């Protein structure tokens, strides 16, 4: 794994400084950005200035942009046009934008309607790799989005420079046929790849004379003590939406039994589907026992983020799975407000045998399909859209996306972009994640390279910084599939198979854990997986991995 070079970071700062010195709601909402754009009203083409690497451009065109608002802005802003970052992006590039944002959490449903209408915007921010039926190649073939190879070469010099310097990332953002299809969101440092894992009330453990649990048995002891001696009504709580046990998808608890809740690479190099393996039965048996004894939240099937927040804040729960930033950064102030001695800490991903390294854990690849932006095949402003999106990979754009506006959201301290109180101690008393999302995209995603210096400040608490080190200690690199792509035909088959398989996984998991069906029913579910052609899905994953390795 490579790290973002500090010398390169310094160069970005210096270039950006030099440039500065030299110069929704409930229904789908559409809004025009009213902030004045440089050169508005002029019909001058952007090519000459863009080739010289200069922004803002001069244009009389307004581009259209479709995408969900960052979830951290839910309840804070109702559209992109109201958000300072998106206003500044237009001012800096000189390109006016008209935004459409679907209701939060309804992106896929709303996009399907949009694609069916044939009335497409210039750009769509969406997870084309994992959420579009048939995958990106089919989206290109069906005439929804453009193959961007020529576009990158002609109009995206900043992005192409980065990709040439980082061939391992370049490999990730292509399809097997070599097609570029989005302006990608990329993480510029290894420490940005890990951000979630088990979280536990450390002060309770200390009071009870218990260690931070490492094994499944130690977790059982801790949760039982939380219930019996701390009065926790839901000792372990996890989200039940958008899918039950969704938080276990990255290996928490499940990984202790040698499997994941998804496809994974086994120790012999073969691809397996975790929920039909023996280890998953052992996991279900363990959680069935814990649920029966009242150690797991009774609302495990439906608990949402607000319910989890409430459980942690009130002391109904002493453990969960959460992120270092948006979760721990919110929960620690909540519990310490009532009890200054309260403490949350990260726990390792559980194992069965003390001293073992956890098999699996959350670790994202450098390229994330979330937040990446495609140019649609219907766009009549391809060059202008590409210039807009390429800005995020320029030195100046890198600073805007990660740190905002110098003098307002950050100041340079010996070359280090230091966030101001507007970001970390904002007057509106917003959580740091919410305040940051108003002015940057560094703490969410988008068409840019995420900078490690953002996370060094976003994690204001020592517990957050310690958490990343704890959660990073896994063997996930040996078992996680890279961002492979299937052919359009394979993707269609896979989507159909997995729609039924995922439904069956949820049904099986809940019925057995909640005691509706006996644990012995697991074998019958395995047979059902086989009848749903899970073998074909595994075959597709293997073929995709083989092609990826040959890129």
């Amino acid at each position: 794994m490579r790290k973002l070079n500090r010398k390169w970071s310094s160069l970005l700062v210096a270039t950006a400084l030099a440039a500065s010195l030299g110069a929704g709601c409930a229904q789908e909402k559409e809004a025009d950005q009213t902030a004045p754009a440089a050169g508005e009203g002029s019909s001058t083409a952007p090519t000459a200035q863009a080739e010289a690497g200069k922004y803002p451009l001069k244009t009389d065109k307004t581009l259209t942009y479709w995408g969900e608002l960052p979830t951290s802005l839910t309840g804070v802003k109702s559209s992109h046009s109201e958000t300072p970052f998106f206003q500044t992006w237009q001012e800096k590039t000189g390109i006016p934008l008209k935004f459409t944002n679907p209701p939060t959490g309804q992106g896929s449903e709303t996009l399907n309607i949009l694609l069916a209408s044939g009335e497409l915007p210039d750009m769509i921010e969406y997870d084309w790799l994992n959420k579009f039926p048939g995958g990106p190649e089919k989206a290109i073939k069906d005439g929804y989005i453009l193959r961007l190879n020529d576009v990158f070469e002609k109009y995206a010099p900043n992005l192409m420079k980065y990709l040439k310097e980082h061939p391992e990332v370049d490999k990730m953002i292509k399809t097997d046929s070599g097609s570029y299809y989005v302006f990608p969101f990329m993480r510029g440092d290894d420490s940005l790849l890990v951000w979630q894992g088990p979280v536990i009330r450390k002060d309770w453990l200390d009071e009870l004379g218990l260690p931070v649990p490492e094994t499944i048995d130690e977790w059982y002891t801790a949760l039982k003590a939380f219930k019996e001696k701390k009065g926790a009504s839901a000792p372990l709580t996890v989200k039940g939406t958008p899918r039950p046990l969704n938080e276990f998808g990255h290996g928490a608890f499940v990984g202790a039994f040698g499997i994941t809740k998804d496809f994974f690479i086994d120790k012999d190099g073969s691809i397996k589907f975790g929920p039909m393996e023996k280890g998953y039965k052992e996991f279900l048996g363990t959680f069935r026992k814990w649920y029966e004894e009242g150690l797991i939240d009774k609302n495990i099937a439906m608990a949402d983020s607000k319910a989890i927040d409430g459980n942690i804040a009130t002391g109904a729960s002493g453990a969960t799975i959460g992120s270092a930033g948006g979760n721990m950064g919110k929960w620690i102030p909540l519990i310490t407000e009532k009890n200054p001695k309260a403490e949350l800490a990260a726990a390792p991903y559980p194992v069965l045998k003390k001293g073992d390294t956890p098999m699996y854990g959350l670790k994202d690849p450098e390229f994330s399909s979330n937040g990446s932006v495609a140019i649609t095949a219907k766009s009549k402003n391809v060059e202008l859209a590409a210039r807009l999106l390429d800005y995020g990979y320029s030195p100046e754009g890198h600073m805007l996306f990660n740190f905002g506006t110098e003098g307002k959201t950050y100041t340079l301290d010996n070359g280090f972009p230091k966030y101001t109180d507007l970001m970390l101690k904002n007057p509106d008393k917003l959580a740091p994640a919410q305040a940051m999302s108003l002015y940057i995209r560094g703490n969410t995603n988008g068409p840019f390279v995420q900078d490690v210096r953002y996370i060094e400040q976003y994690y204001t608490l020592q517990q957050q910084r310690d958490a990343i080190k704890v959660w990073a200690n896994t063997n996930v690199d040996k078992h996680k599939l890279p961002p492979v792509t299937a052919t359009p035909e394979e993707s269609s088959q896979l989507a159909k198979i997995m729609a039924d398989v995922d439904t069956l996984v949820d049904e099986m998991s809940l019925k057995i854990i909640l005691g509706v069906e006996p644990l012995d029913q697991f074998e019958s579910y395995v047979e059902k997986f086989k009848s749903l052609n899970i073998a074909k899905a595994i075959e597709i994953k293997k073929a995709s991995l083989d092609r990826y390795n040959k890129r």
Side-chain angles (χ1 to χ4, degrees):
M1 293 288 184
R2 51 96 189 97
K3 288 183 177 288
L4 183 69
N5 190 289
R6 284 285 184 178
K7 181 178 179 182
W8 186 69
S9 298
S10 299
L11 178 61
L12 289 173
V13 176
T15 307
L17 181 60
S20 66
L21 292 174
C25 62
Q27 300 293 327
E28 180 167 333
K29 179 162 183 168
E30 184 171 282
D32 290 329
Q33 173 56 46
T34 56
E40 188 169 351
S42 169
S43 60
T44 304
T47 307
Q49 282 192 339
E51 286 179 351
K54 296 180 180 179
Y55 291 91
L57 308 181
K58 293 182 179 180
T59 181
D60 59 355
K61 299 180 183 299
T62 296
L63 301 187
T64 49
Y65 189 104
W66 184 101
E68 286 190 69
L69 271 176
T71 55
S72 51
L73 287 179
T74 301
V76 180
K77 296 294 182 181
S78 59
S79 72
H80 297 79
S81 61
E82 300 172 359
T83 306
F85 167 80
F86 291 98
Q87 296 169 1
T88 305
W89 190 16
Q90 295 170 81
E91 293 168 3
K92 293 292 186 180
T93 59
I95 303 172
L97 294 172
K98 184 177 182 179
F99 296 100
T100 302
N101 57 281
T104 300
Q106 299 180 35
S108 294
E109 297 86 346
T110 310
L111 180 63
N112 288 337
I113 296 172
L114 177 69
L115 296 178
S117 74
E119 299 294 325
L120 303 184
D122 291 297
M123 294 161 283
I124 295 178
E125 180 178 321
Y126 190 67
D127 184 352
W128 297 95
L129 178 62
N130 298 307
K131 293 184 178 180
F132 183 77
E137 284 286 8
K138 191 169 193 307
I140 294 172
K141 182 180 179 182
D142 289 349
Y144 294 132
I145 64 175
L146 287 178
R147 186 176 190 266
L148 296 175
N149 296 52
D150 290 342
V151 174
F152 280 8
E153 288 289 346
K154 293 178 181 177
Y155 311 128
N158 295 301
L159 174 57
M160 288 303 293
K161 181 177 185 295
Y162 186 87
L163 295 178
K164 288 177 181 177
E165 293 172 351
H166 299 82
E168 75 283 3
V169 179
D170 182 63
K171 177 179 178 179
M172 292 180 181
I173 71 168
K174 297 175 180 176
T175 65
D176 294 322
S177 66
S179 297
Y180 293 117
Y181 58 97
V182 287
F183 283 76
F185 170 54
M186 298 174 288
R187 297 179 175 88
D189 190 89
D190 285 356
S191 62
L192 295 165
L193 308 182
V194 176
W195 48 269
Q196 178 182 285
V199 179
I200 197 163
R201 282 291 296 265
K202 177 68 163 52
D203 57 314
W204 287 7
L205 293 172
D206 292 343
E207 180 185 333
L208 296 167
L210 297 172
V212 173
E214 297 177 13
T215 67
I216 291 294
D217 287 343
E218 288 178 344
W219 268 96
Y220 175 75
T221 299
L223 295 176
K224 194 171 181 64
F226 287 177
K227 178 179 184 292
E228 296 175 351
K229 298 180 181 180
K230 297 302 300 180
S233 58
L236 174 63
T237 185
V238 291
K239 284 173 61 178
T241 59
R243 290 180 60 192
L245 304 183
N246 196 57
E247 299 301 304
F248 297 105
H250 300 295
F253 295 97
V254 179
F257 301 95
I259 46 91
T260 74
K261 194 171 171 280
D262 204 340
F263 296 97
F264 68 99
I265 301 173
D266 202 5
K267 55 187 176 183
D268 63 359
S270 62
I271 294 179
K272 293 185 177 178
F273 183 63
M276 62 183 297
E277 296 295 315
K278 179 183 176 183
Y280 199 74
K281 180 180 181 180
E282 296 171 354
F283 160 73
L284 293 177
T286 298
F287 267 62
R288 179 189 181 93
K289 172 182 170 64
W290 290 6
Y291 184 85
E292 185 179 5
E293 295 186 16
L295 307 185
I296 300 176
D297 189 353
K298 293 294 183 183
N299 197 29
I300 190 173
M302 296 181 294
D304 58 14
S305 296
K306 289 184 178 180
I308 305 302
D309 292 348
N311 285 343
I312 297 297
T314 61
S317 298
T320 185
I321 300 167
S323 65
N327 291 148
M328 292 183 74
K330 175 170 50 177
W331 294 334
I332 291 174
L334 285 176
I335 63 173
T336 54
E337 183 178 0
K338 296 181 179 180
N339 177 10
K341 295 183 179 180
E343 183 181 357
L344 280 180
Y349 282 88
V351 295
L352 291 182
K353 184 181 177 182
K354 190 90 166 177
D356 283 355
T357 300
M359 167 203 172
Y360 212 77
L362 184 147
K363 186 175 183 181
D364 284 341
E366 290 95 328
F367 161 60
S368 174
S369 50
N370 284 317
S372 298
V373 183
I375 298 177
T376 69
K378 295 292 183 70
S379 175
K380 297 179 180 178
N381 304 290
V382 173
E383 177 179 350
L384 202 59
R387 300 294 189 193
L388 171 85
L389 297 170
D390 189 53
Y391 176 79
Y393 311 98
S394 70
E396 181 181 337
H398 181 86
M399 296 303 291
L400 172 64
F401 273 74
N402 283 283
F403 305 107
T405 303
E406 186 180 359
K408 182 177 182 180
T409 59
Y410 77 93
T411 58
L412 286 175
D413 183 0
N414 291 323
F416 187 95
K418 187 176 181 180
Y419 290 129
T420 64
D421 286 350
L422 181 63
M423 300 285 270
L424 302 176
K425 300 176 183 177
N426 63 90
D428 295 325
K429 295 184 178 180
L430 298 172
Q434 294 174 312
M436 285 185 166
S437 295
L438 289 172
Y439 301 100
I440 66 172
R441 297 206 68 180
N443 66 316
T444 54
N445 48 42
F448 72 105
V449 180
Q450 194 177 43
D451 193 310
V452 68
R453 294 170 297 177
Y454 130 76
I455 207 73
E456 291 171 355
Q457 301 173 80
Y458 180 42
Y459 292 161
T460 59
L461 303 171
Q462 187 61 45
Q463 297 97 315
Q464 295 173 295
R465 295 188 286 270
D466 291 342
I468 301 305
K469 297 176 184 177
V470 171
W471 296 332
N473 183 31
T474 71
N475 286 324
V476 62
D477 290 335
K478 298 178 181 178
H479 301 288
K480 184 180 177 70
L481 272 75
V484 299
T485 56
T487 66
E489 295 76 17
E490 288 173 342
S491 290
S492 297
Q493 285 181 294
L494 188 62
K496 184 177 180 181
I497 292 170
M498 294 312 298
D500 293 332
V501 167
D502 288 343
T503 299
L504 189 60
V505 170
D506 294 345
E507 175 189 336
M508 171 185 73
S509 301
L510 284 179
K511 284 186 174 180
I512 291 179
I513 289 174
L514 302 184
V516 176
E517 291 184 351
L519 183 60
D520 288 345
Q521 280 293 104
F522 178 80
E523 280 70 24
S524 68
Y525 278 104
V526 171
E527 293 304 314
K528 291 179 182 178
F529 287 132
K530 294 177 181 178
S531 69
L532 292 175
N533 209 8
I534 189 66
K536 181 62 178 178
I538 293 173
E539 178 185 318
I540 290 172
K541 287 290 184 180
K542 183 181 184 305
S544 299
L545 180 60
D546 289 343
R547 290 192 300 268
Y548 179 87
N549 289 333
K550 293 177 182 177
R551 289 182 188 177

